[in-house]
Amino acid sequence: MRHATVTRNTLETQITVSINLDGSGVGRFETGVPFLDHMMDQIARHGLVDLDVKAVGDLHIDAHHTVEDIGITLGQAFARAIGDKKGIRRYGHAYVPLDEALSRVVIDLSGRPGLVYNIDFTRASIGQFDVDLFSEFFHGFVNHAMVTLHIDNLRGINSHHQAETVFKAFGRALRMAVETDPRMADQMPSTKGTLTA
Ligand SMILES: [Mn+2]
C-alpha cells in the first residue's frame, strides 16, 4: 500500500493529512472550510484515493493560511506516499464537464514543481470561499508534491461548476498518473532513470 501521514504545525495552522493512493475514494475532512472540504472530496472520489484531512487554522483572520497550508501538507503526504515512482504511469490527464463548465487537468509526476493555472472565475467568491485561494492551494501542492500541473478551465458560467470540474479533473488525472502500468513492471518511467530531482 502506498500511504503516508504528515502533520505540519505552524503558529498559523495545525494540519494532519493521511493519504492512501491505493484506496477506494473515501474522504474525511474537518478543516473548518466547508467548500474546500467539498472540493477535496472530489479529489478522493475521482482519484480513488483515501484522504483524511484535519486542520485547525487561523480562520478568524481568513481562510488563506489554512487553504494554502492544506495544499502544502497534502503535497508532502503525496510525495511520501508515491515513493520512488517505479512502475507507475507518471502522466495523467482528464477532461471533466459539469453542465456548461469544462476543465482539463494534466499532471506529470516529474520530480519538479511547476504550475500553469488558467481559471477565469466568473465570481470573486463561492459562498464564503474566496476563489483566489484555489491558486494558493495548488501552488502549495505542486511545490511539495514535486509535480508539474497544468490546469485549464476551458469554459464555464457558474463558478461552483468551474471549481468542481477542476477538482474532479485533478482527481482523475492523479489517478491515471499514480496507477501502476503492468508493462512497466518495476522500471522507472524516465530515460533519466530517476524522477526524484
Ligand atoms: Mn458541488
Side-chain angles (χ1 to χ4, degrees):
M1 284 291 210
R2 298 173 297 173
H3 57 84
T5 297
V6 171
T7 295
R8 183 179 185 274
N9 290 321
T10 73
L11 294 177
E12 294 171 340
T13 62
Q14 296 84 50
I15 296 168
T16 297
V17 172
S18 294
I19 189 168
N20 176 5
L21 298 177
D22 301 302
S24 56
V26 178
R28 279 205 302 271
F29 308 101
E30 291 172 36
T31 71
V33 187
F35 194 74
L36 184 67
D37 293 352
H38 181 41
M39 292 298 102
M40 291 193 292
D41 210 17
Q42 309 303 326
I43 301 174
R45 181 62 51 89
H46 293 280
L48 283 183
V49 297
D50 295 342
L51 203 51
D52 190 329
V53 180
K54 288 187 177 57
V56 178
D58 53 3
L59 295 176
H60 58 284
I61 298 174
D62 69 8
H64 190 114
H65 300 140
T66 302
V67 173
E68 180 177 22
D69 292 357
I70 288 172
I72 289 169
T73 313
L74 179 62
Q76 291 174 337
F78 178 85
R80 204 170 291 180
I82 195 69
D84 68 5
K85 303 177 188 167
K86 268 189 189 147
I88 64 166
R89 296 195 190 281
R90 174 181 171 182
Y91 298 99
H93 61 269
Y95 285 84
V96 170
L98 174 51
D99 296 341
E100 89 298 344
L102 175 67
S103 294
R104 176 185 63 213
V105 174
V106 183
I107 192 166
D108 174 13
L109 308 187
S110 57
R112 297 184 302 278
L115 177 65
V116 177
Y117 181 86
N118 182 21
I119 311 175
D120 190 7
F121 278 105
T122 56
R123 277 184 288 162
S125 58
I126 302 170
Q128 304 289 310
F129 191 90
D130 174 357
V131 298
D132 282 354
L133 300 182
F134 289 128
S135 161
E136 304 305 312
F137 175 86
F138 283 113
H139 269 111
F141 178 80
V142 301
N143 285 337
H144 294 269
M146 304 293 276
V147 303
T148 304
L149 186 63
H150 288 247
I151 295 174
D152 289 274
N153 173 243
L154 302 173
R155 61 182 71 96
I157 295 167
N158 180 294
S159 56
H160 187 126
H161 290 174
Q162 289 178 291
E164 195 157 322
T165 53
V166 164
F167 276 85
K168 284 176 170 170
F170 176 58
R172 292 263 161 183
L174 206 58
R175 174 182 167 185
M176 185 188 289
V178 306
E179 269 178 355
T180 51
D181 180 344
R183 295 183 63 198
M184 289 295 291
D186 57 356
Q187 295 179 61
M188 286 301 298
S190 168
T191 53
K192 197 162 57 176
T194 178
L195 286 171
T196 53

